[in-house]
Amino acid sequence: SDKLPSIQDLAGVRVEAAMTLTDQDRVVEALREQFGQGMDAVHDLRDGAHAGYRGVHLWVRLDSPRGAWFEVQVRTQLQGQWANMFEALADSFGRGIRYGEKATVPVVQEVVEAAQRLAIDHLAAVEEVQDLWRATRRTGGQDHESRLVALLERLGSSSEQAQRAAHLARDPSDETLDRFISDAVDVLYAGLLGIENAVRSLSQEKGA
């Protein structure tokens, strides 16, 4: 009757920090090496295919002590706050939405889909811009400029604005793109936190 061996993870820990996507990969790699795990232990969930959830999970399987299985979730700040917000939605409108199930109420399903689009489109684009900007600054080259332009246009910049900002990213003294990224991250984080708080307040009122 002992079902412990069938449990995927007996314990879990979450790492969240202000970091780029490249930083996130490095943290996961450092943890993988620390625990002596193979590449198959890394589960990259940043493709938007998991109900909007984004993060990288490391499944650690240790032989000693026997059955020491645990999971380490590594998230950026935006990925973590989006997950908290979506968890609040799931608590209020059904846990199934975390696994791709549709909400039974149409207006709730619209909210769920909007939250998923926010993660897959906007949050992903902001984090990619942040990552490419850092790479461009680090190398001082033009390798990433075309990708930066495409992402900035996706976030609402005109073609001319995007090209100018991407070009300025190579100038260490210019802070145009720094401010844009910082503001975008702050606005998204505050918006996600606001949605989470509003949903939890609504849930408490319904419970009362």
Side-chain angles (χ1 to χ4, degrees):
S1 63
D2 183 0
K3 300 203 182 298
L4 284 179
S6 67
I7 297 176
Q8 177 179 293
D9 50 336
L10 297 176
V13 63
R14 182 172 299 143
V15 179
E16 289 183 11
M19 55 185 167
T20 67
L21 297 174
T22 297
D23 293 335
Q24 187 178 19
D25 289 336
R26 288 173 177 163
V27 170
V28 172
E29 181 61 15
L31 289 168
R32 185 186 71 79
E33 291 182 356
Q34 175 68 30
F35 291 113
Q37 301 296 295
M39 289 302 298
D40 59 340
V42 178
H43 299 266
D44 191 337
L45 308 177
R46 295 174 295 189
D47 60 1
H50 305 273
Y53 175 83
R54 300 176 68 243
V56 183
H57 295 187
L58 181 70
W59 293 359
V60 179
R61 303 290 183 262
L62 300 180
D63 295 327
S64 179
R66 182 175 177 271
W69 289 7
F70 59 93
E71 179 180 81
V72 183
Q73 299 178 356
V74 182
R75 300 173 181 168
T76 67
Q77 282 186 323
L78 282 181
Q79 291 168 7
Q81 187 51 52
W82 183 92
N84 292 340
M85 177 274 296
F86 204 71
E87 191 76 14
L89 288 176
D91 287 342
S92 296
F93 304 121
R95 307 294 293 170
I97 65 171
R98 297 165 71 244
Y99 308 104
E101 295 179 13
K102 288 187 178 294
T104 55
V105 180
V107 69
V108 172
Q109 180 59 25
E110 290 178 12
V111 172
V112 169
E113 290 175 359
Q116 292 170 335
R117 286 195 302 271
L118 181 64
I120 296 168
D121 295 334
H122 219 72
L123 266 69
V126 167
E127 290 194 322
E128 285 184 62
V129 166
Q130 185 181 43
D131 206 50
L132 285 172
W133 163 83
R134 186 76 63 84
T136 301
R137 278 289 171 86
R138 187 170 56 248
T139 63
Q142 304 178 36
D143 298 346
H144 308 288
E145 275 198 34
S146 60
R147 180 65 180 146
L148 267 175
V149 169
L151 286 167
L152 289 169
E153 289 177 346
R154 183 168 146 194
L155 288 170
S157 295
S158 68
S159 179
E160 182 180 348
Q161 289 172 327
Q163 289 176 17
R164 184 167 62 250
H167 182 73
L168 288 173
R170 288 190 285 145
D171 179 0
S173 66
D174 188 89
E175 298 182 352
T176 303
L177 203 52
D178 304 65
R179 289 192 297 270
F180 173 84
I181 294 170
S182 178
D183 290 347
V185 170
D186 288 347
V187 167
L188 282 170
Y189 189 89
L192 291 168
L193 181 60
I195 295 170
E196 179 193 358
N197 289 337
V199 171
R200 294 203 185 281
S201 295
L202 178 63
S203 179
Q204 290 171 358
E205 289 175 8
K206 287 165 63 177

